[in-house]
Amino acid sequence: KGKFHLYPYQLPSLDRLDQLMRTLKRYDESVKVDRQKPSAELKMDDPLWPGRFIRIAIWIPPRVWDGFTTITLRRQVVEFLSLEEQAGTESIPYEALEMIISLIKCFRNKIIAGPVNSGKTTFANTIVGEQMLSATNALGVVMIEKHPESTLPYHIKGHRIVPVKAENSELMDVGIESLRHNPNIIYMTEMRYNEWEFFLWSGSKGYDGITGTFHTVDSEDIPYQGAFAVYTRVGGELKGHLISALQACELVFIMESVDVEKESKKRLTRISEICFNEEEKTVYANDIMRYSPKKKRWEYNDQISPEFLQKCERKNPLATKKFLDEIKMLAKKYPMEESPLKESRRSQLILQS
């Protein structure tokens, strides 16, 4: 939403630059920046917006050339919007509100994905926030973030929210320890290598209510990409990691940034169920909802796998029934003309190797 601006004044000396960095590092005394660790990220409270923060990224030589030390300050713009407010921004259609609300009440493990500035973090906040707002009792919510982005603890009260800050080296251990708090929701705002390792481990162990965000646009290949991230970090067998990812990842929401009448808008373009046939060694994304640029509207598919519906039924029978009623009504009115299935060739190659 914002624009970057160069600092309008030239620093008079390198000593003044060092003084500025020392001042910024006071906001997080654990941060060290030197030639052995030439980059760092931290945050400071925003003096203009109570409850929000400014993210600071520092790069010094040898990460950059001598004389090109870079300090970037980004004001937090992630906010909480309800699903109804998302519909008001035209990110989602009003017709699908009840269907999406019923679906997220089933607490399936999900990834909200999209490119940079697609609105995926804001939409992930919407999903997790709606789960809390629609709950009839207090939920346990563990939020695991390396660099905190979510503002949910400031917006939604009455729940047992545990915002955890974890470095890469400790994220897996902290994630496992967080399960002792018996959370109903586990929320990771940015899925990288270590976050994927915990997502795969917890999801394959049968934990549900896990939500994460990820930079990609292909629903069908997300389990493969998550498995490859873990394989890159810890080694082992890629096929084993992929099977864990297919057990853990159940739903994918794809967000995109589109230009509408010379204005950039965020749009939910796909909701996909991840389907894994272990006997045939095939992996598909089954689109439940998809935006059609040709028709300039959303289309729907009510052919959901029995395995997915059984998981939903066990978690929340009433929400499952409501979801089925809504998706059948939408699919009848706005049917998906092209096939809702898209195969993951990458996953198939690994599974059949």
Side-chain angles (χ1 to χ4, degrees):
K1 293 182 180 180
K3 296 181 180 179
F4 283 104
H5 296 274
L6 289 175
Y7 187 63
Y9 308 106
Q10 184 173 354
L11 297 180
S13 65
L14 291 177
D15 288 340
R16 181 67 185 92
L17 175 62
D18 290 337
Q19 182 184 1
L20 174 60
M21 286 198 294
R22 286 196 301 272
T23 301
L24 293 175
K25 286 190 290 182
R26 289 176 185 170
Y27 292 98
D28 189 341
E29 295 181 355
S30 65
V31 169
K32 294 182 179 179
V33 188
D34 52 34
R35 296 194 71 84
Q36 283 68 47
K37 191 177 180 182
S39 62
E41 288 190 46
L42 63 151
K43 70 170 187 174
M44 60 178 283
D45 292 333
D46 192 325
L48 301 181
W49 295 79
R52 296 193 178 189
F53 55 85
I54 294 173
R55 291 177 65 173
I56 304 169
I58 301 174
W59 279 15
I60 66 171
R63 177 70 72 231
V64 292
W65 295 356
D66 288 337
F68 283 85
T69 293
T70 302
I71 302 175
T72 301
L73 292 88
R74 291 181 291 167
R75 172 164 276 125
Q76 181 198 32
V77 295
V78 175
E79 55 189 334
F80 174 69
L81 298 174
S82 68
L83 274 173
E84 189 167 355
E85 289 169 328
Q86 289 276 10
T89 68
E90 300 181 356
S91 293
I92 59 174
Y94 279 104
E95 72 212 22
L97 275 177
E98 292 300 323
M99 183 273 288
I100 297 174
I101 290 173
S102 301
L103 179 60
I104 65 176
K105 283 183 179 180
C106 296
F107 285 79
R108 304 325 313 148
N109 296 336
K110 66 193 77 65
I111 296 293
I112 289 80
V116 175
N117 294 325
S118 61
K120 60 185 176 295
T121 303
T122 300
F123 196 77
N125 278 335
T126 295
I127 295 294
V128 175
E130 286 284 353
Q131 287 177 320
M132 289 191 279
L133 290 172
S134 63
T136 56
N137 56 344
L139 300 180
V141 183
V142 169
M143 299 170 53
I144 302 176
E145 304 177 276
K146 181 181 178 183
H147 305 293
E149 291 188 16
S150 177
T151 58
L152 288 178
Y154 301 107
H155 290 286
I156 300 178
K157 306 297 181 181
H159 295 277
R160 185 166 46 90
I161 302 177
V162 184
V164 178
K165 183 180 178 182
E167 295 295 330
N168 285 332
S169 59
E170 58 181 355
L171 194 144
M172 185 65 179
D173 291 336
V174 170
I176 294 174
E177 290 173 5
S178 74
L179 299 176
R180 298 172 187 167
H181 293 277
N182 195 28
N184 306 98
I185 297 171
I186 301 171
Y187 180 24
M188 293 178 284
T189 56
E190 191 167 7
M191 302 284 287
R192 295 178 180 174
Y193 299 94
N194 301 75
E195 290 85 354
W196 270 116
E197 184 182 6
F198 177 63
F199 189 98
L200 266 59
W201 182 88
S202 54
S204 63
K205 293 288 184 182
Y207 290 95
D208 53 22
I210 310 172
T211 297
T213 69
F214 188 53
H215 294 275
T216 192
V217 294
D218 299 316
S219 298
E220 66 279 2
D221 281 335
I222 283 181
Y224 168 83
Q225 293 176 22
F228 191 78
V230 176
Y231 172 74
T232 301
R233 203 189 85 78
V234 303
E237 185 183 13
L238 178 56
K239 185 176 181 179
H241 295 315
L242 178 57
I243 291 173
S244 294
L246 292 167
Q247 292 170 341
C249 185
E250 299 169 308
L251 271 178
V252 175
F253 295 72
I254 299 292
M255 298 293 297
E256 291 184 11
S257 180
V258 295
D259 290 328
V260 180
E261 298 177 355
K262 298 183 179 180
E263 182 181 355
S264 179
K265 289 192 175 185
K266 319 303 181 187
R267 178 182 292 156
L268 175 65
T269 57
R270 295 172 71 185
I271 300 179
S272 309
E273 169 204 2
I274 300 299
C275 300
F276 171 40
N277 188 316
E278 196 164 359
E279 291 184 2
E280 298 181 3
K281 296 181 173 59
T282 55
V283 177
Y284 292 88
N286 179 29
D287 285 352
I288 299 170
M289 171 179 167
R290 180 196 295 159
Y291 185 79
S292 170
K294 183 179 179 180
K295 293 186 176 181
K296 296 183 179 181
R297 68 160 303 106
W298 284 266
E299 299 175 338
Y300 305 88
N301 162 45
D302 62 357
Q303 300 303 302
I304 317 297
S305 73
E307 295 80 9
F308 180 80
L309 292 175
Q310 286 172 7
K311 294 176 182 178
C312 293
E313 179 80 19
R314 285 197 297 267
K315 191 69 177 183
N316 191 331
L318 292 177
T320 304
K321 183 179 183 306
K322 178 68 173 176
F323 165 69
L324 283 172
D325 290 343
E326 291 292 325
I327 193 63
K328 287 178 180 178
M329 180 269 293
L330 291 167
K332 185 177 181 180
K333 192 173 183 180
Y334 309 111
M336 198 174 291
E337 294 187 356
E338 296 183 9
S339 172
L341 301 177
K342 192 169 182 181
E343 185 178 12
S344 172
R345 299 294 179 86
R346 292 177 177 179
S347 295
Q348 186 174 337
L349 286 171
I350 300 301
L351 292 170
Q352 295 180 355
S353 63

